[in-house]
Amino acid sequence: MMVTVRSLGLTGITGYEVSVECFLSGGLPGFDVVGLPDAAVKESRERVRAAVKNCGAKFPVSRITVNLAPARVRKEGTVYDLPILLGILAAAEEISPLPQGAAFLGELSLSGALRPVTGVLPMALTAARLGIDTLYVPEANAAEATLADGLTVYGVTDVRQLIAHLKGEQVMTPAPRWTPGHQDRPLPDFADVMGQENVKRALEIAAAGGHNVLLVGSPGAGKSMLARRLPSILTDMTRAEALQTTEIYSVAGMTDPRHPLVDTRPFRSPHHTASTVSLSGGGGIPRPGEISLAHNGVLFLDELPEFSKAALETLRQPLEDGFVTITRASGSLTLPSRFMLVCAMNPCKCGWYGHPSGRCRCSPRDVRRYHARVSGPLLDRMEVIQLSSYTDEEKLQIAKQHLLPKQRKKHGLKPSQLRVSDDAIREIITLYTRESGVRVLERNLAAVCRKTAKRIALGECKSVQLRAGSVANYLGPARFEPEHVYAQDEVGLVRGLAWTSVGGEVLDVEAAVLDGTGKLELTGNLGDVMKESAQAAVTYIRSRAQMLGIDPEFYKK
């Protein structure tokens, strides 16, 4: 006797119908599965045999042949366990014929319990388009399957329950249609960002127009923080966008059974060691990559020049077309990949180019080589946004409203146990930090909280009031000296102003003329441009010596 059971399969993120044909014949007992099955499908024979026996049914002692049609398409995964089991039982007349308008899918355990499978939503949407009115899925996948309109979905716990339902002994209740409730995981809020008003305005415009952006700034300037809060200002997803994004996540096995619909803009941030395949998708069994998982959302690439060149170049075509086509010997696969690309990078490899501390040792050639890691065609597809440093006043407000409350809570301190005056915070900013962001400032506040908690725990005090002048008791001697204006003019000393990536800087330019051969000696870790400026200044003085009333040969004496 032959029985056909309707099921479903996946090609990429697209479902298709699979007819599971089970035939029992005489001869030596055997169990064959044909129809281009992979290893996981072939292993279903052992799972089905054990599940039939453990659910109280009788496994037929016959030659069993199972065909998965269409036979030209390779069948993958464990989704066919349940339809194979039902087909064998129906062919052996252990259960009554199955309803024609129903489809079955699910993985079996040896005990007969059903385990969840991936890709349920695209298969459910395909079932609805094919006119299938009832779908039986593992209980953990039921909520996801109800997202497809026009289907009656049953969540099955184990084979015993399903057989009792099919026999009419114990009728199951259809799964209720899933509806979104309260969002338990709110997105990081763009309104939390303090300062950087020009950058925030640029990102708002980019979000409105869907432009790709490249954020360039020193470590701690807020590049990653701004990027992670970008989805909170994007428009809400439509029902169609949410379903298409959920299909991708369902195939990747990344949906939440409690909240199966991806109704917030995705934010994907792969590490810079990500391979080309992990970004674009593919593999032996083609699966969506990061650019498809970021569909209808944001793809954030931090430390952009550290990504491999081959991986970055794979982004060019999807950025233009909104989809990626993966071609393998077994066939080709097209996946959607319309996303907003947000990248971040430092001004140089060490990250401290232009920092007043002089920590950067990168030559102009090194900086150019670092920037050249990102190709011109990729840069042409992005808007470059330069991030400046926070002002001292912005750092003060960030410390008061965010950093200090965060560190107090982390160290178990109440606001009444540690009060820090504004002047004390300004002293920490001026004498203990020299940065574009607030990372070092947060570490210093953490040190203050840690020592305060220790003093309270030892019974030395009940609370601490940190004021200006007492900061050294908690952080030690000052690490930087404050800038000051000389009370009187000095011969050979000129005060200049310079711009750096972390803010303005005061430069003391000292000059002295000594007897010698006229050679110009320059010190102070000057760049090539500043060296040329010094040479140009000497040349100018020599050319205007008579007008200035000095000896043209002054530099030789």
Side-chain angles (χ1 to χ4, degrees), residues 80-288:
Y80 307 108
D81 288 7
L82 181 59
I84 290 175
L85 179 144
L86 295 175
I88 292 173
L89 293 181
E93 299 182 349
E94 289 283 333
I95 60 175
S96 57
L98 302 172
Q100 290 298 315
F104 303 83
L105 55 92
E107 176 185 341
L108 290 171
S109 69
L110 298 183
S111 63
L114 263 72
R115 292 185 172 135
V117 294
T118 60
V120 169
L121 179 58
M123 289 189 283
L125 293 172
T126 300
R129 287 194 296 266
L130 294 174
I132 296 172
D133 53 31
T134 307
L135 185 63
Y136 293 86
V137 299
E139 187 177 32
N141 296 125
E144 181 180 332
T146 61
L147 297 176
D149 296 328
L151 277 180
T152 300
V153 178
Y154 288 95
V156 183
T157 304
D158 53 40
V159 175
R160 288 178 182 270
Q161 179 192 30
L162 180 57
I163 292 177
H165 170 77
L166 295 174
K167 289 181 177 180
E169 298 173 355
Q170 188 177 356
V171 179
M172 297 167 54
T173 303
R177 182 178 177 81
W178 184 87
T179 54
H182 176 69
Q183 178 60 266
D184 296 329
R185 295 171 295 179
L187 294 172
D189 196 345
F190 200 75
D192 292 340
V193 182
M194 302 189 65
Q196 302 288 8
E197 297 301 328
N198 291 335
V199 177
K200 289 195 291 185
R201 179 57 179 162
L203 287 177
E204 289 170 357
I205 296 172
H211 304 294
N212 307 309
V213 297
L214 171 61
L215 304 175
V216 182
S218 298
K223 304 184 294 294
S224 300
M225 178 183 61
L226 286 163
R228 293 184 185 281
R229 284 159 173 75
L230 189 59
S232 67
I233 62 172
L234 296 176
T235 58
D236 293 337
M237 297 179 74
T238 64
R239 173 77 177 179
E241 288 177 331
L243 285 176
Q244 189 177 40
T245 304
T246 305
E247 285 186 88
I248 299 172
Y249 276 69
S250 177
V251 171
M254 299 173 61
T255 53
D256 185 352
R258 297 168 298 177
H259 195 99
L261 183 65
V262 181
D263 53 2
T264 56
R265 300 283 177 181
F267 180 85
R268 303 295 300 175
S269 179
H271 193 259
H272 63 260
T273 57
S275 65
T276 302
V277 172
S278 68
L279 282 179
S280 63
I285 301 176
R287 288 290 182 267

Side-chain angles (χ1 to χ4, degrees), residues 490 492-496 507-511:
E490 298 283 343
L493 176 63
V494 178
R495 171 147 291 190
L507 298 179
D508 291 330
V509 182
E510 299 179 275

Side-chain angles (χ1 to χ4, degrees), residues 323-380:
F323 61 86
V324 58
T325 300
I326 303 167
T327 303
R328 297 291 183 267
S330 58
S332 62
L333 176 66
T334 299
L335 297 171
S337 57
R338 188 168 298 281
F339 56 89
M340 179 179 176
L341 178 63
V342 180
C343 303
M345 63 179 288
N346 294 325
C348 66
K349 184 166 181 62
C350 74
W352 298 105
Y353 182 71
H355 197 279
S357 64
R359 294 169 63 178
C360 180
R361 293 295 182 267
C362 300
S363 66
R365 182 178 179 183
D366 293 334
V367 175
R368 289 193 297 269
R369 187 185 297 115
Y370 182 71
H371 290 176
R373 293 184 182 182
V374 184
S375 68
L378 185 59
L379 284 175
D380 287 342

Side-chain angles (χ1 to χ4, degrees), residues 2-6 18-22 87 98-100:
M2 192 190 84
V3 172
T4 300
V5 183
R6 302 181 77 175
V18 175
S19 297
V20 180
E21 302 171 344
C22 299
L98 302 172
Q100 290 298 315

